[in-house]
Amino acid sequence: MSERFDVVIVGAGLSGVGAACHLRRSCPGKSFVLLEGREAIGGTWDLFRYPGIRSDSDMYTFGYAFEPWKGDKALADGPAIRAYVQATARKYDVDTQVRFGHRVTRLSWSSVDAEWTIEVTRSDGSSARFTAGFVWMCTGYYRYDAGHTPEFAGRERFRGRIVHPQHWPEDLDYSGQRVVVIGSGATAVTLVPAMAGRAAHVTMLQRSPSYVLSRPATDAVARGLRRVLPERVAYALSRWKNVALATLLYQLSRRRPAGMKRFLIDQVQRALGPDYPVDPDFTPRYDPWDQRLCLVPENDLFVAIREGKADVVTDTVECFTETGIRLGSGAELPADLVVTATGLELLFLGGSELVVDGRTIDVAAEMSFKGMMLSGVPNLAFTVGYTNASWTLRADLVAEHVCRLLHHMDRVGARKVVPRRL
């Protein structure tokens, strides 16, 4: 037996909840369900629990377009974002439509029936089946069960503990310990100042540096607008102000990379003081926005370095030793705890098998239409956010497009929509 819905949404994180809310608002006649492999709403913001976990985009653009962010922090912490997503789901009666512990393993399209069959494995090991006229994949872009950790020689010899931020142990007490965080991205620059208060010392070990820019923890303009304008008007103006500033920063980085590089490095020099050698620790080999820019609130990373609670080492890992890490330069970093902030394992469509009329689809061989549908694959959309701006800005645009598409199909009596290569 299978249950049928007009739309099946896979994933109940930031994107999935947003997609469901858009359906509630724009397509109230459509029946839908959210299939979530885990046991909670929130996705990334429920999974990640490492110290200091926060957004690396401002909440006025990271929040939903239709639901104002009411918090004070522009770069909000993980629990606040999780609460915002969950509260939004409750407000739009989306939380009642979530089936927890339902991991989608196979999606099979039948042109004869003009519908998808969605096969699911429940957390208790049992199976379930759903059918739908349209499938909306909101599974993000990475594996939830394992983070990316390179093969480090000698790892088994290390007498301390090695932890990946994606699966932070609840019982981990690093008070008074020497901590080495391997990495230089958003997770690393968040962890280092957050752990510096309790650890004996924290070292950020990076193979190559990233561009790091500090911004105020709160948005003074947004706070001022909220005092004098209705909430939704103030939120919309704050959102577009931040979109404009982020766009300006990105465009300047692409069109005037040398000038922007000097600006970003000068900001770091001011924060760390004139005597700090920003080369090589904060002088990337690439141009600004060739990779994602790292934002830190109120110079917290630089404050931890200035106060001697943390430092940055730019080198490579030769091997682990019993008491730390030996570097390519021959030096050794002593450590009681090593945190491998070394990235994520990419996983498209949550790893689900995709079949159209009996033919297994190799997604790498298909073309993407507007970054939200696949050539030759009917009635299926996926949400992937921006890489050079807030994820949710694009998630909202995809949701609006899908809702318009569903309305158009109803108006013309179409049962199938499929992008074709020209």
Side-chain angles (χ1 to χ4, degrees):
M1 296 291 293
S2 62
E3 295 183 76
R4 193 187 190 286
F5 296 89
D6 294 323
V7 181
V8 164
I9 300 171
V10 183
L14 184 72
S15 300
V17 168
C21 291
H22 276 276
L23 281 178
R24 281 277 195 235
R25 290 160 49 86
S26 301
C27 305
K30 297 290 184 185
S31 63
F32 68 89
V33 67
L34 293 91
L35 304 180
E36 169 57 48
R38 302 177 68 250
E39 301 296 332
I41 288 173
T44 292
W45 303 104
D46 181 71
L47 174 68
F48 282 83
R49 301 297 181 102
Y50 61 80
I53 172 68
R54 57 169 172 77
S55 65
D56 63 346
S57 300
D58 73 274
M59 288 306 299
Y60 299 98
T61 56
F62 197 66
Y64 299 116
F66 57 85
E67 186 61 26
W69 167 254
K70 300 176 183 178
D72 292 327
K73 292 182 179 179
L75 299 179
D77 58 51
I81 299 171
R82 182 169 65 251
Y84 168 74
V85 174
Q86 293 172 345
T88 302
R90 287 193 300 271
K91 179 175 179 178
Y92 292 91
D93 193 29
V94 164
D95 58 332
T96 59
Q97 304 305 116
V98 182
R99 305 289 179 89
F100 295 109
H102 282 56
R103 185 174 63 85
V104 175
T105 57
R106 192 172 191 264
L107 302 163
S108 180
W109 168 263
S110 167
S111 291
V112 173
D113 301 320
E115 70 178 16
W116 285 98
T117 298
I118 300 99
E119 297 179 25
V120 169
T121 299
R122 296 193 184 103
S123 54
D124 63 4
S126 63
S127 301
R129 179 175 291 183
F130 298 81
T131 58
F134 199 94
V135 170
W136 195 343
M137 301 298 289
C138 298
T139 54
Y141 62 94
Y142 68 91
R143 286 181 58 179
Y144 272 46
D145 59 336
H148 176 69
T149 303
E151 290 294 327
F152 292 119
R155 174 177 175 145
E156 69 284 352
R157 292 184 296 169
F158 181 55
R159 292 201 295 259
R161 194 166 184 177
I162 302 174
V163 172
H164 193 285
Q166 187 166 327
H167 300 288
W168 195 266
E170 292 184 8
D171 64 345
L172 180 57
D173 182 9
Y174 54 88
S175 301
Q177 293 190 357
R178 298 165 298 176
V179 179
V180 173
V181 177
I182 303 176
S184 61
T187 302
V189 302
T190 298
L191 274 166
V192 171
M195 299 181 74
R198 288 173 53 191
H201 188 78
V202 182
T203 296
M204 185 168 83
L205 172 58
Q206 57 182 12
R207 182 174 53 186
S208 60
S210 300
Y211 288 103
V212 182
L213 178 65
S214 178
R215 64 160 295 159
T218 59
D219 190 321
V221 173
R223 191 170 57 226
L225 289 173
R226 282 205 307 232
R227 291 196 186 108
V228 298
L229 294 173
E231 182 177 70
R232 289 190 175 274
V233 175
Y235 180 67
L237 289 175
S238 301
R239 184 180 179 87
W240 283 110
K241 181 264 295 183
N242 286 358
V243 168
L245 288 176
T247 302
L248 176 64
L249 179 63
Y250 179 76
Q251 291 298 332
L252 285 174
S253 296
R254 307 316 293 161
R255 297 178 184 183
R256 299 286 188 271
M260 185 55 66
K261 182 171 186 174
R262 285 194 301 272
F263 168 76
L264 292 171
I265 294 174
D266 285 348
Q267 295 301 305
V268 174
Q269 190 73 77
R270 289 193 185 94
L272 290 173
D275 297 327
Y276 188 93
V278 294
D279 187 8
D281 296 337
F282 292 98
T283 307
R285 297 188 294 267
Y286 57 88
D287 287 336
W289 271 115
D290 281 355
Q291 296 181 28
R292 190 174 175 88
L293 189 70
C294 292
L295 296 179
V296 298
E298 303 289 358
N299 286 315
D300 63 356
L301 173 65
F302 307 129
V303 170
I305 294 172
R306 280 203 320 263
E307 293 178 348
K309 298 177 181 178
D311 66 347
V312 178
V313 173
T314 303
D315 209 325
T316 57
V317 175
E318 179 180 311
C319 66
F320 276 66
T321 67
E322 290 82 359
T323 57
I325 298 174
R326 183 175 300 126
L327 306 177
S329 62
E332 184 164 338
L333 287 178
D336 305 300
L337 169 67
V338 173
V339 182
T340 54
T342 46
L344 308 166
E345 292 281 351
L346 298 183
L347 188 67
F348 188 53
L349 301 182
S352 304
E353 182 185 8
L354 194 61
V355 179
V356 173
D357 292 328
R359 179 175 68 93
T360 299
I361 300 298
D362 177 6
V363 295
E366 302 300 334
M367 293 187 68
S368 169
F369 171 74
K370 292 185 178 292
M372 55 169 281
M373 299 182 78
L374 291 174
S375 61
V377 180
N379 294 29
L380 182 141
F382 56 88
T383 298
V384 176
Y386 288 123
T387 57
N388 60 354
S390 290
W391 176 278
T392 323
L393 289 174
R394 193 169 191 283
D396 276 331
L397 291 176
V398 169
E400 291 170 7
H401 190 108
V402 169
C403 290
R404 290 198 305 271
L405 178 60
L406 293 174
H407 278 304
H408 179 72
M409 292 175 69
D410 288 342
R411 280 196 303 271
V412 302
R415 300 179 66 197
K416 182 172 82 169
V417 56
V418 54
R420 298 288 188 194
R421 294 189 186 188
L422 296 178

